Amino acid sequence: MQLSEAGLKNREEWTSKGYRLPEFDRETVMAATKENPFWIHFGAGNIFRAFQANVVQNLLNEGLLDRGLTVAEGYDYEIIEKMNHPHDDYSILVTLKADGNVEKTVVGSVMESLTLDSDNDAEYSRLKEIFTKDSLQMASFTITEKGYSLVDGKGNMLPAVTADMEKGPKKPDSYIGKVASLLYTRFTAGAKPIAMVSMDNCSHNGDKLYAAITAFAKAWEENGTAQEGFYAYVTDPAKVSFPWTMIDKITPRPNASVEDILKKDGVEELEPVITSKNTYVAPFVNAEECEYLVIEDAFPNGRPALEKGGLIFTDRETVDKVEKMKVCTCLNPLHTTLAVFGCLLGYDLISKEMKDPTLKKLVEIIGYEEGLPVVVNPGILNPKEFIDTVLNVRIPNPFMPDTPQRIATDTSQKLAIRFGETIKAYQKSDTLDVANLKRIPLVFAGWLRYLMAIDDEGNSFELSPDPLLDTVCPYVASIKLGDTVDAENVLRPILENDKIFGVNLFEAGMAPLVCQYFNEMIAGTGAVRATLEKYV
């Protein structure tokens, strides 16, 4: 069984093994999509393949859409070259349900895959052509939060961004520079309307994309490399919108146990590829059943009825409430807590941590007791029920091969939103006191202890990728287990950094408690566990 156009001609072979297949005429849909694309997505990773592509497939199957998706990859071209093209843009979605059932779906809604590579004349020209089409209603993105950043960890403009701003939209090298140049193509083709929709898991994601794109538009227009009016075009919401969204679906990296299931079915060439950029990609993606995508309904060129596929369209204020509910309280802080302590305590699966009474109690206290009091109910999703599902169904799902090491990636970029917003809400409240937050500082101390890259048994481990490691690790590099340190003095540059924590922890009055916890966690082997059990 080969995952390709030719291999899927034997439908009976696939369906007899329990695979759901595309139920539409792909050739017809492909021709229509290439002629009149309506949705291009940037970021060909697991979340896109498991979520957006599957939603579009379901709508194609039901006859509610007549065109599919175009996907472009701008960070790691090998995903397209080594995964999309060899499999004719098909992928397998394996949904791992908490009851142990496995659903296998061949997703064939992607009709064209391209690299966002300005050195590849054919593909870049095709992307420009797509951006001139009247039919194009939205460009969406899952490129991670750092994908929108024009600066490095120290706040300095990235060299590629500086160069692109100077040389103009003709042949940029930076990711956002290339996206901005495609928008410039749309502008010069008649200032056609479009929605630029960030679907990344970060706060006010539309604003991050807006800030990055408008920075390029402003620079290019000011230095004369772009026609006058481009900046006005990208800042006019009636022409170019940047909706806020909230996305939630856990899609861990392809797991060997899932690969074994598919191999036993007879599916060939399943081996994952690790690209030169260290992306781990396979012909299949494994994911949980739960999924939420809430989108601000701001589409200047219209949109299809994607709500029929389960997406929720609402106003910006409601998206903000849902996003804060999830990112600041009901899921992400709990995930980060388990990630940090999971790495320190030697866990290899998040689900196993939920069998640890101390860790389970810790995330319950952070969610229900410290976080929930400051959550504003968005109306379309109930915060208490959301946490209930997270803690009782989603995270404990033993069939979800999600690791603390994956979730610990980029933690320095996450703490400000996942915990800092709760601290700020306590500071603003007339009835709540920051001094009552005892477990959030425990997580901060745990992260500082994690930066030592020594687990609770005294063994070294590899820190997950994070753009600030070079900045923060030197402060703990000389500390050994059993040392007595003046933590407030040694850690002050980190604790004062409001970009990391969302607040200056000294000004918030939390630094002494964080340092107390940290000192207890470095007392020796087993000290992390002992500290958790003492305070949880």
Side-chain angles (χ1 to χ4, degrees):
M1 291 165 65
Q2 289 194 325
L3 185 65
S4 64
E5 201 68 68
L8 285 159
K9 287 208 184 320
N10 189 348
R11 291 178 65 88
E12 173 60 31
E13 187 177 22
W14 288 84
T15 55
S16 67
K17 301 280 176 65
Y19 289 79
R20 297 179 178 181
L21 300 182
E23 294 164 18
F24 51 89
D25 183 333
R26 197 164 186 249
E27 203 174 312
T28 302
V29 171
M30 190 176 291
T33 304
K34 288 184 175 179
E35 183 59 34
N36 291 301
F38 77 97
W39 180 355
I40 182 168
H41 184 86
F42 292 89
N46 290 339
I47 185 75
F48 164 72
R49 294 161 66 204
F51 197 167
Q52 293 92 332
N54 191 47
V55 165
V56 170
Q57 166 136 317
N58 290 336
L59 293 172
L60 284 165
N61 285 344
E62 293 168 35
L64 298 171
L65 280 179
D66 60 358
R67 287 162 295 162
L69 286 153
T70 304
V71 70
E73 174 56 40
Y75 171 70
D76 195 336
Y77 308 146
E78 288 178 63
I79 295 174
I80 299 296
E81 293 156 0
K82 294 183 176 178
M83 202 50 59
N84 283 69
H85 291 168
H87 295 287
D88 298 327
D89 290 323
Y90 284 104
S91 65
I92 298 172
L93 167 60
V94 181
T95 305
L96 305 165
K97 300 191 169 186
D99 63 7
N101 283 321
V102 173
E103 271 182 11
K104 300 171 293 191
T105 307
V106 174
V107 178
S109 60
V110 174
M111 300 296 152
E112 187 173 12
S113 57
L114 301 157
T115 57
L116 180 62
D117 180 2
S118 55
D119 287 327
N120 185 324
D121 291 339
E123 302 222 340
Y124 205 60
S125 296
R126 173 58 184 154
L127 285 166
K128 285 184 171 179
E129 182 186 1
I130 288 168
F131 266 77
T132 65
K133 297 279 190 176
D134 292 348
S135 59
L136 188 64
Q137 295 174 313
M138 74 162 146
S140 60
F141 300 80
T142 48
I143 61 175
T144 76
E145 183 168 2
K146 59 190 172 191
Y148 305 100
S149 182
L150 306 184
V151 298
D152 62 19
K154 294 176 181 170
N156 302 314
M157 189 80 81
L158 294 165
V161 171
T162 303
D164 285 349
M165 285 186 172
E166 288 171 3
K167 69 187 182 187
K170 197 165 185 185
K171 197 178 175 183
D173 293 311
S174 64
Y175 202 128
I176 296 296
K178 288 181 275 194
V179 172
S181 90
L182 295 176
L183 257 186
Y184 183 65
T185 301
R186 192 163 183 81
F187 166 70
T188 57
K192 295 171 181 177
I194 189 172
M196 303 292 284
V197 191
S198 169
M199 295 179 174
D200 271 299
N201 182 12
C202 54
S203 181
H204 302 172
N205 45 20
D207 286 357
K208 286 180 168 58
L209 180 57
Y210 173 85
I213 295 288
T214 53
F216 275 98
K218 191 165 187 277
W220 288 343
E221 195 168 318
E222 284 178 354
N223 69 18
T225 57
Q227 291 176 23
E228 191 176 336
F230 180 46
Y231 180 74
Y233 166 71
V234 298
T235 56
D236 179 358
K239 286 289 189 182
V240 183
S241 67
F242 294 86
W244 292 4
T245 69
M246 189 288 289
I247 191 166
D248 185 17
K249 187 178 181 75
I250 300 170
T251 53
R253 106 187 200 176
N255 189 264
S257 64
V258 176
E259 186 182 334
D260 286 342
I261 292 171
L262 305 184
K263 269 185 182 165
K264 282 175 186 162
D265 289 339
V267 184
E268 301 166 39
E269 297 172 1
L270 285 167
E271 292 70 26
V273 170
I274 300 173
T275 71
S276 56
K277 288 199 170 178
N278 219 28
T279 307
Y280 196 95
V281 63
F284 66 92
V285 53
N286 34 240
E288 66 169 339
E289 185 177 9
C290 281
E291 59 186 26
Y292 307 88
L293 181 49
V294 183
I295 305 175
E296 178 189 354
D297 202 354
F299 288 78
N301 201 26
R303 63 168 179 81
L306 297 173
E307 62 272 19
K308 292 179 180 174
L311 307 191
I312 301 169
F313 291 87
T314 183
D315 56 61
R316 174 168 285 204
E317 186 183 2
T318 304
V319 175
D320 191 37
K321 288 176 184 174
V322 172
E323 187 261 326
K324 279 191 172 136
M325 177 197 83
K326 177 235 173 184
V327 174
C328 305
T329 308
C330 297
L331 172 63
N332 295 31
L334 315 183
H335 245 164
T336 290
T337 301
L338 292 170
V340 167
F341 288 113
C343 292
L344 285 168
L345 297 174
Y347 281 99
D348 59 355
L349 285 176
I350 289 284
S351 58
K352 289 181 185 175
E353 291 186 70
M354 291 302 283
K355 293 178 180 173
D356 183 320
T358 305
L359 293 178
K360 184 172 187 284
K361 189 177 176 192
L362 175 61
V363 289
E364 286 172 349
I365 293 170
I366 289 173
Y368 292 120
E369 295 179 25
E370 296 194 346
L372 205 52
V374 298
V375 172
V376 177
N377 191 328
I380 58 174
L381 294 169
N382 179 284
K384 165 74 165 53
E385 290 172 9
F386 194 93
I387 298 184
D388 289 343
T389 304
V390 166
L391 292 179
N392 299 319
V393 179
R394 298 177 66 188
I395 297 178
N397 181 346
F399 305 99
M400 276 295 293
D402 209 2
T403 67
Q405 292 74 21
R406 180 187 81 90
I407 296 166
T409 300
D410 300 337
T411 300
S412 72
Q413 311 295 291
K414 299 170 177 175
L415 295 171
I417 296 298
R418 299 187 177 194
F419 299 99
E421 291 301 309
T422 294
I423 296 168
K424 288 180 197 169
Y426 270 71
Q427 288 175 322
K428 289 177 191 163
S429 172
D430 296 329
T431 57
L432 298 167
D433 186 350
V434 173
N436 291 330
L437 294 173
K438 305 292 187 190
R439 306 325 187 285
I440 288 175
L442 195 59
V443 180
F444 292 165
W447 178 64
L448 293 165
R449 170 67 182 78
Y450 160 89
L451 293 175
M452 292 168 60
I454 300 167
D455 69 19
D456 202 28
E457 293 181 359
N459 303 311
S460 60
F461 66 90
E462 187 179 344
L463 297 175
S464 300
D466 188 313
L468 282 194
L469 290 183
D470 289 344
T471 305
V472 293
C473 287
Y475 294 105
V476 299
S478 62
I479 301 174
K480 307 275 190 300
L481 294 187
D483 284 356
T484 302
V485 298
D486 178 358
E488 286 192 37
N489 187 40
V490 171
L491 301 175
R492 180 174 289 273
I494 306 178
L495 299 172
E496 285 181 336
N497 192 329
D498 59 3
K499 286 192 170 59
I500 292 178
F501 298 105
V503 295
N504 177 322
L505 292 181
F506 281 96
E507 292 175 0
M510 300 179 90
L513 186 57
V514 174
C515 292
Q516 177 196 321
Y517 290 150
F518 177 79
N519 279 328
E520 292 185 42
M521 287 183 191
I522 64 169
T525 56
V528 174
R529 167 67 68 184
T531 306
L532 286 170
E533 290 181 354
K534 180 178 177 182
Y535 295 106
V536 175

